[in-house]
Structures are given as C-alpha cells and as structure tokens.
Amino acid sequence: MKEKIEALLNEVRSLTASSADEVEQMRIKYLSKKGEISQLFNDFKNVAGDEKRIVGQMLNELKNVTQQRLSEMKEAFENQVSAENMVDMSRSESPIEFGTRHPLSIVKNEIIDIFSRLGFTVAEGPEIEDDWHVFGALNFPPEHPARDMQDTFFIEKNPDILLRTHTSSVQSHVITTQKPPIRVLCPGRVYRNEAISYRAHCFFHQVEGLYIDKNVSFADLKQALLYFAKEMFGEGTQIRLRPSYFPFTEPSAEMDISCDLCGGKGCAFCKHTGWVEILGCGMVDPAVLEACGIDSKVYSGYAFGMGVERIANLKFRCKDLRMFSENDLRFLKQFDSAL
Ligand code: PHE
C-alpha cells in the first residue's frame, strides 16, 4: 500500500497535459469515485491498525497533491483561453476614422439651438400616424388634396393609418396633451409620394414651431422669425412675408429671406428676385385650438414649419437633394468643419 502511494505521488507530481480535456481525463483517472486514489481510500479499511495513522496521512497527502496539480493545470488552460480572447495590444494602431455629423443633423441642431434661446423645447411624435393627427385636427377638409393617394403614403390600404406628410402632426399631440403656455419645436422626418429628383424626395425633414399663450400676436411670430433668419444666415439678412394659405393657420404666410448670394440684387440662385423662400407660417387657426380642447377666446398662437433640406441647401449650396440620403462619404465628410 505504502509503495503504491509513493509511486502514485511521483506519477502525479510529474503530470503534464496538453489540453483541458486531458486534465479532465486525469481527474477521472485519479479522483473520480472509481479512480485510483478513491480505490486506495476504499482499501484503507484493510490496513493494519498500527499502520493506519501513517498510511492515512500519506493518502491524504496524495489526494491533496493530486487536486492541486490538476487545478494548476486546469487554470493554466483557462488563462490561455482568455488570453486568446483578449485585445491584441501588439497590433499596430489602424486608422480608425471618426464619423462626421450629417449635414441635416448639423442644420437641425442649429435650428433647435437658435429657437431654444427663445424658450422653445423639443417635442417629438410618431412617423406612422392616423388621419386625425395629420389632417383632421389641423382643419383639413375631408376632400383636401393632401389626403390624396398622390401625396400621402397610406399603410396597408387603411386610409386611417399613414406616414405623416408634415411635422404639424406633432402639434396635434402637443396641443391635446399639454396646457398652454406651449412653446415647442418638433423636428422629424416626413413622407410624401413625390417623384424623386434633384429637388424633391419621397421623404425629407422638417422642423415645426408652435407657440400658444395668451395674447400671442402676428408681430411675435414675425419677430421670432426675423431673429431666426439673422442667427441662421447672418446679421444682414432681411425677411419678407407673403400671404399664403394653410388649413391650420389663419392668417398664413410664406417667408422669404434676402438672397445671400447676390445680397438681394438678383441672381440665378434666387431666380433674379433677390429673395428665396424658406418656410411657411401663420397664426394657429382657432378651429385647431378648439378641436384640441383649447379655448380660442383665451389663447392664441403661432406656428411655423421649415424644411431642413431647404435650409441646408441654402447654407451649403448643395445642388442635388438626393445627396443627403445617399450616404456617400465623399459628400458627407465635407461638413466636418461645419461642426
Ligand atoms: N406644415 C406645413 C408644410 O408642411 C408648414 C407649416 C407649418 C405652415 C406650420 C404653417 C405653419 O408645408
């Protein structure tokens, strides 16, 4: 018995393994229920009484040494595996290119930044909408052409579910869920069923503004828009408001800014008028306030909406609107410095 233990002890001390699997095989060989060492423990009962103490000690030592050796080897393999998974610190530093902000994001953020100085906060709404939020609440009569299949993308032949055609739909959400004073900007993507060309796309981006409080006047609207134009296009920028029509504003207007290419003298860019159109606006129609549960005798408000692509075009002079959605890095990287 003693010799057997000695022999096993020597054997175990010089064990080596080439894989974690092999270590496991060894554990089975020595330490499992039917393993060699366990067998010795079974035979222990036959050891003569005066030998029991010394043999017992030897057996325990054998067991401890074996367990330790096996766990040392196991650990070595585990460390090896995690080292393989580690980041290779010896790799040469490959040029990881920083992304650049998308020109439309740059412009959108600038619009938000300018109006936030006037107290506007941002509100967002869903792109998939129902008829009421996009048209109904905003005073579009049932037969209005914007509801037509030509302009609006409807979902699954259900004319009540559609892709919003303007971010004015967020107004409907805000007015029905918040109490005045309300001063929000609603940026987002909108969809219209238009033929794609250098100047039109089936989706684009808008930023809508809405201000509702007591005694809000058209002069407030004009002043806010003049401030915006000067901040966005430079101190010398002039604005001009032309009467227009939107179902949800009364009176309505379209705003032009003086052409900053020719300084208002007239050039090909402004079609020799000296002015370029940038947004639609007006006083919120009382019918819209009432439809959304706001007392139009107490409150009034203004709204405006602009296309982000349009503003980006004016700022960056991009000839083809499609560039904004084609993800061509050569194009997108040019706006690095605009950050
Ligand atoms: N929603 C209008 C459009 O998409 C723009 C607009 C917004 C006009 C708010 C007036 C007031 O053309």
Side-chain angles (χ1 to χ4, degrees), residues 165-166 168 171 192 206 208 246 248-249 280-282 303-305:
T165 55
H166 55 178
S168 304
Q171 282 191 36
R192 288 183 197 176
Q206 290 188 327
E208 188 98 356
F246 299 103
F248 39 93
T249 48
C281 61
F304 56 84

Side-chain angles (χ1 to χ4, degrees), residues 167-196:
T167 42
S168 304
S169 56
V170 186
Q171 282 191 36
S172 320
H173 287 282
V174 172
I175 309 180
T176 40
T177 54
Q178 294 180 23
K179 285 198 165 64
I182 292 168
R183 208 183 325 220
V184 289
L185 279 184
C186 316
R189 183 174 284 181
V190 300
Y191 302 83
R192 288 183 197 176
N193 193 1
E194 304 227 15
I196 298 170

Side-chain angles (χ1 to χ4, degrees), residues 25-237:
Q25 290 308 319
M26 291 171 183
R27 190 195 63 77
I28 294 167
K29 179 171 182 242
Y30 296 111
L31 295 172
S32 67
K33 264 199 175 144
K34 290 194 174 141
E36 291 181 28
I37 295 174
S38 313
Q39 216 62 62
L40 289 175
F41 272 97
N42 284 343
D43 296 344
F44 182 67
K45 56 181 180 294
N46 304 326
V47 173
D50 53 347
E51 289 276 279
K52 266 197 160 56
R53 206 173 70 90
I54 183 84
V55 173
Q57 275 174 359
M58 287 173 74
L59 261 181
N60 278 334
E61 193 196 353
L62 174 63
K63 191 178 171 192
N64 289 341
V65 169
T66 312
Q67 277 172 339
Q68 202 182 333
R69 181 74 199 121
L70 292 182
S71 64
E72 270 168 21
M73 290 194 292
K74 202 170 156 203
E75 221 168 88
F77 286 116
E78 275 165 4
N79 287 344
Q80 195 181 329
V81 171
S82 53
E84 276 164 13
N85 291 339
M86 261 165 58
V87 178
D88 179 1
M89 302 299 272
S90 65
R91 258 176 67 174
S92 67
E93 172 214 273
S94 52
I96 298 169
E97 294 198 32
F98 285 107
T100 56
R101 223 175 268 283
H102 193 281
L104 295 181
S105 296
I106 294 172
V107 170
K108 180 192 78 178
N109 290 343
E110 197 171 337
I111 298 168
I112 292 173
D113 191 46
I114 293 169
F115 281 105
S116 71
R117 284 175 237 149
L118 298 179
F120 284 80
T121 53
V122 170
E124 280 175 337
E127 291 181 13
I128 302 173
E129 271 288 8
D130 53 35
D131 181 280
W132 191 80
H133 285 95
V134 180
F135 301 125
L138 298 173
N139 209 26
F140 280 79
E143 69 288 353
H144 194 281
R147 276 199 171 95
D148 199 306
M149 287 286 189
Q150 309 248 305
D151 274 311
T152 308
F153 287 114
F154 294 92
I155 309 276
E156 288 177 0
K157 298 188 185 134
N158 177 353
D160 194 42
I161 310 289
L162 45 102
L163 293 176
R164 66 180 177 194
T165 55
H166 55 178
T167 42
S168 304
S169 56
V170 186
Q171 282 191 36
S172 320
H173 287 282
V174 172
I175 309 180
T176 40
T177 54
Q178 294 180 23
K179 285 198 165 64
I182 292 168
R183 208 183 325 220
V184 289
L185 279 184
C186 316
R189 183 174 284 181
V190 300
Y191 302 83
R192 288 183 197 176
N193 193 1
E194 304 227 15
I196 298 170
S197 73
Y198 74 97
R199 50 197 291 260
H201 213 299
C202 59
F203 67 83
F204 57 99
H205 301 80
Q206 290 188 327
V207 177
E208 188 98 356
L210 174 70
Y211 177 32
I212 299 173
D213 203 347
K214 288 175 181 154
N215 302 319
V216 177
S217 72
F218 200 90
D220 296 326
L221 169 64
K222 198 173 164 189
Q223 194 56 39
L225 294 178
L226 178 64
Y227 173 74
F228 165 72
K230 285 177 181 289
E231 289 292 298
M232 186 58 123
F233 297 104
E235 187 53 36
T237 310

